[in-house]
Amino acid sequence: MVKSIGLLYNGLLRNLFELVLKEYNVDLDEEIVCWYKTGAELRLPKDEYALLRGKEILLTCRYRGEIGQVFTIAPRSYRGRLKSILELDLGHIQNNSIFHATMNAVLKYLGLIDKTEHCAGEEPKLCGYLLSRKLLSNYGQTVKVLHVGYQPGHIDVLAQFFHDNLIVTDLADQLIWQKRHGRLIVDGVLNKYLIAQVDVILVTASSIVNNTAWEIIDQARILGKKVIVYGISASAAVYLLRSKGIVDIQQYCPYAK
């Protein structure tokens, strides 16, 4: 089910991306170069982050000097033409990662998006303070929040403001049913059942790349819940789906560049 929904959405995104390329007369023979690196190079404040736990790798693709990045559990280096990206089999996570990183780089070059490079240092934790302020300002302290994906800089701060109104989920075996910053990390397989209990769903952008987000987004749309995608991995995807009125989702990533 998850794979079929992923193929549907990725096929849609490919079509939308092709429309943008035609609209802006982009040369499909332009070169795309992709490589990956570990989280140590980002100087993150704690080893709790997925990049430092070894769960995810940061894949970077370059188009005409602009950078597009995504988190992925299946990175691979790549050098080829843009037209080859459009022909990739998006049923494979490695190809999907290159596709999303390339979209991020190209749409950044075209000036359509501006959040495609990961933040560093203490910024992931500062991100949590800005996120808390955003939620409190827009929805009040009684809002019920589902945070999909364990991001310690977020959870540390959100738990202080929202307490039992915050539900945190993840798919990592070493995290689920463990307490972090006073909150129990719930198994992410339960996300679709937890959506009905909350008002706002914060979804990690990497879950769009690995195709685990689409079922959540679909269920949230049916139930009328607000969805905010945090992180850089889905910057292009969010723009394309939102600008065409297909899915009403927002992106949150204040320190990305």
Side-chain angles (χ1 to χ4, degrees):
M1 179 67 171
V2 171
K3 185 175 182 179
S4 62
I5 294 177
L7 288 173
L8 177 66
Y9 271 101
N10 285 322
L12 174 60
L13 286 170
R14 174 156 42 200
N15 291 339
L16 294 175
F17 185 39
E18 288 179 331
L19 289 175
V20 170
L21 297 178
K22 290 178 181 178
E23 180 182 352
Y24 285 84
N25 296 312
V26 174
D27 183 358
L28 298 185
D29 284 322
E30 290 280 357
E31 186 178 57
I32 302 294
V33 179
C34 303
W35 66 96
Y36 55 92
K37 57 186 178 181
T38 66
E41 299 175 62
L42 294 175
R43 308 180 312 281
L44 297 174
K46 292 183 178 181
D47 60 8
E48 289 185 277
Y49 288 87
L51 275 175
L52 299 183
R53 296 199 313 267
K55 176 186 176 184
E56 294 182 337
I57 299 295
L58 191 63
L59 175 71
T60 301
C61 290
R62 184 179 64 237
Y63 168 80
R64 287 198 161 197
E66 288 293 354
I67 293 297
Q69 295 180 323
V70 302
F71 288 106
T72 177
I73 57 175
R76 74 179 175 99
S77 300
Y78 182 90
R79 180 185 291 270
R81 303 299 173 188
L82 181 54
K83 61 184 176 184
S84 298
I85 299 293
L86 298 175
E87 297 169 354
L88 291 173
D89 180 356
L90 300 182
H92 298 284
I93 184 64
Q94 288 182 321
N95 292 342
N96 205 30
S97 301
I98 290 171
F99 172 68
H100 279 270
T102 297
M103 285 202 302
N104 281 347
V106 173
L107 266 61
K108 174 77 170 290
Y109 176 82
L110 295 176
L112 299 175
I113 59 176
D114 61 358
K115 305 290 187 181
T116 65
E117 293 185 65
H118 195 275
C119 60
E122 293 294 321
E123 290 172 337
K125 183 169 184 177
L126 295 174
C127 180
Y129 288 101
L130 292 183
L131 178 56
S132 294
R133 187 169 70 181
K134 174 184 176 71
L135 293 173
L136 289 169
S137 175
N138 291 346
Y139 308 106
Q141 195 164 2
T142 59
V143 67
K144 294 180 173 60
V145 179
L146 172 61
H147 195 289
V148 178
Y150 176 65
Q151 203 276 38
H154 286 183
I155 307 309
D156 183 22
V157 182
L158 291 175
Q160 298 176 43
F161 288 99
F162 298 101
H163 308 290
D164 290 341
N165 283 340
L166 172 67
I167 302 173
V168 184
T169 67
D170 202 278
L171 293 172
D173 290 338
Q174 68 267 40
L175 286 175
I176 59 175
W177 309 123
Q178 303 294 317
K179 273 201 169 184
R180 293 290 189 276
H181 303 287
R183 304 306 305 152
L184 183 68
I185 310 301
V186 179
D187 193 331
V189 299
L190 300 175
N191 282 325
K192 61 183 178 181
Y193 304 107
L194 295 170
I195 292 170
Q197 302 178 27
V198 302
D199 306 302
V200 177
I201 301 107
L202 300 166
V203 180
T204 174
S206 62
S207 65
I208 285 182
V209 177
N210 67 28
N211 289 328
T212 59
W214 301 120
E215 191 174 20
I216 297 170
I217 291 172
D218 271 358
Q219 184 71 3
R221 177 180 55 80
I222 292 170
L223 296 177
K225 309 294 184 175
K226 179 66 68 176
V227 175
I228 301 172
V229 177
Y230 65 90
I232 55 166
S233 300
S235 295
V238 170
Y239 168 81
L240 291 172
L241 294 172
R242 183 176 175 82
S243 65
K244 300 303 181 182
I246 296 169
V247 181
D248 183 18
I249 52 179
Q250 298 178 15
Q251 183 188 25
Y252 172 80
C253 202
Y255 290 104
K257 58 182 182 178

